[in-house]
Amino acid sequence: MTIDAPFAAMLPGISPGVYGVDDFRAISAIAHREAGIVLPEGKAMLVYSRLAPLVRTSGCATFAAYVLRIREDHAERQKAICALTTNHTFFYREAHHFDHFRDTVRPQLLRRLEQGGKVRLWSAGCSSGEETWSLAMTLLGPDRNAGLALARKDLRILASDIATHALTRAVAARYSADDLKPVPEPLRAAWTVRNGDTVEIAPELRALVRFRTLNLLGEWPMRTRFDVIFCRNVMIYFDNPTKETLVARFAGMLAGEGTLYIGHSERVTGPALDDLVPMGPTVYRRSARA
Ligand SMILES: C[S@@+](CC[C@H](N)C(=O)[O-])C[C@H]1O[C@@H](n2cnc3c(N)ncnc32)[C@H](O)[C@@H]1O
């Protein structure tokens, strides 16, 4: 195996016989093809550190052997993809989205629920659940009794991610008290249960959410359309064609004048702009003529 000098310099202490530029490129191509994740060469050390434990437990002596394994073995490939995802998230991240949702979208959704209609929300790329619970709390609001009445109506939240280890944490719905600090206190008081240093999401909130493993690049089995889609800080890992295809698919999944929230460094470009009207830099509403 030949190693570029600059690539080798990125990997101090790692023997080229164990991990080299060809291995990195093969893994990077698999991550892109399977999950849309772009891994430039500057991520060579990150790829090494995320996959080295899997290489070891799989019994492979080198990354080259592991590349052959994941080409053949679907389950091992999924494990490798999960390990390559970045799951950083926190409660009330980009709080202005929750303010916008509370002030602009929520009142319409509450009216619909009161009239016996249905409301569907989707947290796409939910990671370990902090975004989903922030959205669910904001929807039910600070008045627990009023929120419980809403929760009995036709209201569901889908939360999906490709990373099963992150979803396991989301389903557990248990966080440190510090993690919950960004959440406005009245919402915390209404929808969380404190147990020492741990906080659990209230069962009534948990009952609203279905967590599912879903690759956003693959088939979407959902039959319903969504009033609100949050897909934030997921597309930053994708290239432009993948982003444009994805936002066009989101536009097609929005109901009526549904709302799409994306991350602070993301923008909608491409064909989806025919169907989505910007409401602010990272908030889009499905146009009435879409
Ligand atoms: C940085 S987290 C963002 C979490 C949350 N949306 C937020 O803004 O805090 C990005 C998430 O996107 C997920 N992800 C990356 N590629 C994906 C794909 N192809 N399909 C589904 N989820 C993906 C990762 O597993 C990760 O949990």
Side-chain angles (χ1 to χ4, degrees), residues 57-247:
T57 51
S58 69
C60 293
T62 63
F63 273 67
Y66 189 68
V67 166
L68 292 179
R69 169 75 61 84
I70 61 176
R71 282 199 177 123
E72 300 293 319
D73 179 339
H74 173 80
E76 190 64 39
R77 192 162 62 246
Q78 294 316 302
K79 275 197 222 168
I81 298 290
C82 286
L84 291 171
T85 60
T86 296
N87 313 112
H88 177 66
T89 184
F90 50 92
F91 279 94
Y92 255 70
R93 184 178 198 175
E94 297 178 45
H96 66 101
H97 281 158
F98 298 100
D99 295 344
H100 180 276
F101 172 76
R102 181 196 60 213
D103 298 338
T104 312
V105 178
R106 180 177 182 265
Q108 302 163 20
L109 300 185
L110 296 202
R111 264 196 303 281
R112 171 123 43 88
L113 289 171
E114 292 305 336
Q115 290 162 3
K118 69 172 185 179
V119 166
R120 298 289 182 265
L121 313 184
W122 181 13
S123 166
C126 64
S127 188
S128 39
E130 290 85 338
E131 171 182 284
T132 315
W133 301 127
S134 303
L135 180 60
M137 286 187 221
T138 309
L139 178 62
L140 293 197
D143 178 336
R144 189 171 154 80
N145 286 332
L148 288 175
L150 286 176
R152 285 191 287 273
K153 300 195 183 290
D154 192 355
L155 166 60
R156 295 274 176 283
I157 302 174
L158 168 67
S160 67
D161 202 284
I162 197 170
T164 46
H165 61 281
L167 286 172
T168 302
R169 295 193 51 214
V171 171
R174 199 171 302 115
Y175 302 91
S176 80
D178 277 353
D179 291 342
L180 267 291
K181 278 190 179 154
V183 178
E185 204 282 324
L187 293 181
R188 261 188 283 157
W191 303 113
T192 65
V193 182
R194 182 135 184 191
N195 193 353
D197 288 341
T198 307
V199 172
E200 287 188 16
I201 304 299
E204 299 86 354
L205 211 65
R206 297 172 65 169
L208 295 178
V209 182
R210 302 284 175 274
F211 287 100
R212 294 284 179 268
T213 307
L214 184 79
N215 182 350
L216 289 169
L217 262 61
E219 293 292 309
W220 295 353
M222 299 83 85
R223 300 264 169 272
T224 189
R225 287 183 175 217
F226 295 89
D227 302 293
V228 172
I229 300 175
F230 270 59
C231 184
R232 307 181 314 154
N233 309 301
V234 177
M235 292 183 277
I236 38 173
Y237 303 103
F238 298 166
D239 58 21
N240 255 347
T242 308
K243 286 181 202 173
E244 292 192 353
T245 305
L246 187 56
V247 287

Side-chain angles (χ1 to χ4, degrees), residues 24 36 52 56 59 229:
F24 166 76
R56 256 193 307 278
I229 300 175

